[in-house]
Amino acid sequence: MKKYLLSIFVICIDTAVFAHPHMFFSSSIEFVFSKQALKGAYVTWTFDRYFSADIISGYDVDKDGFFNEKERLDVFENAFSYTANYYYFCFIRQGNKRTSPSSVSSFKVRQKNGIVSYTFYVDLSEFAGRELFFAVYDYTFFCDITYDAKNAVTFSYSPGSIHPTFQIMENKDYPVYYN
């Protein structure tokens, strides 16, 4: 009887372990315009100290505090590319059409004071000219993603040609269903 109760307890603990985030990062987005057209967005993720320590200890092989090209490629291939399975945690909506990037480019990794950041580019040129909703979240609850408190959204554009604006809001009309 004791073995049976212990087995149930272990199963309950195991289930509870997977019910909370295992990684924490803040996200910021820089939307890039050329003339009056939206071209894309640089998405930056700044990680928690624990994940950062793991990436630094595993991939900054020469321990110089920087990720050289070989180390950057290693991080991309072994610690970032799997996010394609989760749509890079990027979700785009224009009107009723929902989509996610099929690929990203210009991946960079850096660390400052023991905190790692990834930056990558999402091509948004097909969405130019109309209102766009862009969200970064994890529907699996594996990652706790927040928006950078000071610079959640920035714009790169020629002053005087356009006047982009943004709003961070909860989207109740287009719910997200979690696994």
Side-chain angles (χ1 to χ4, degrees):
M1 182 66 170
K2 287 184 182 180
K3 284 186 181 182
Y4 180 71
L5 290 175
L6 180 60
S7 295
I8 292 173
F9 181 70
V10 171
I11 290 169
C12 291
I13 287 176
D14 193 38
T15 303
V17 168
F18 292 107
H20 67 279
H22 295 250
M23 180 188 307
F24 301 83
F25 64 88
S26 67
S27 180
S28 60
I29 305 162
E30 177 189 6
F31 289 98
V32 179
F33 293 82
S34 177
K35 298 183 181 174
Q36 296 181 343
L38 176 64
K39 291 299 179 186
Y42 287 100
V43 178
T44 299
W45 299 340
T46 303
F47 292 96
D48 64 271
R49 187 164 298 283
Y50 302 105
F51 182 77
S52 295
D54 190 41
I55 294 298
I56 292 166
S57 68
Y59 297 100
D60 184 11
V61 177
D62 58 12
K63 307 297 181 206
D64 67 352
F66 299 96
F67 294 96
N68 62 37
E69 185 60 15
K70 183 178 182 314
E71 294 166 340
R72 182 195 69 80
L73 286 171
D74 201 19
V75 171
F76 176 80
E77 292 170 2
N78 297 297
F80 174 77
S81 65
Y82 77 93
T83 63
N85 299 322
Y86 303 97
Y87 313 104
Y88 305 100
F89 303 124
C90 294
F91 301 89
I92 303 161
R93 183 176 62 80
Q94 194 167 49
N96 291 329
K97 180 185 173 193
R98 289 178 165 187
T99 189
S100 290
S102 58
S103 64
V104 299
S105 61
S106 303
F107 175 80
K108 295 181 176 89
V109 58
R110 66 187 173 288
Q111 74 94 8
K112 182 177 179 182
N113 300 323
I115 301 297
V116 168
S117 293
Y118 293 168
T119 299
F120 56 92
Y121 184 77
V122 176
D123 183 353
L124 298 172
S125 56
E126 70 180 276
F127 300 101
R130 297 187 324 193
E131 185 176 58
L132 176 75
F133 295 86
F134 192 101
V136 178
Y137 60 87
D138 179 10
Y139 59 87
T140 68
F141 286 117
F142 182 79
C143 301
D144 181 354
I145 304 172
T146 59
Y147 291 104
D148 183 280
K150 294 181 182 176
N151 295 307
V153 177
T154 58
F155 300 105
S156 177
Y157 63 97
S158 299
S161 63
I162 57 171
H163 302 288
T165 61
F166 76 94
Q167 179 181 13
I168 297 176
M169 61 186 206
E170 183 178 350
N171 188 350
K172 294 181 181 183
D173 295 332
Y174 292 87
V176 174
Y177 298 98
Y178 299 92
N179 287 348

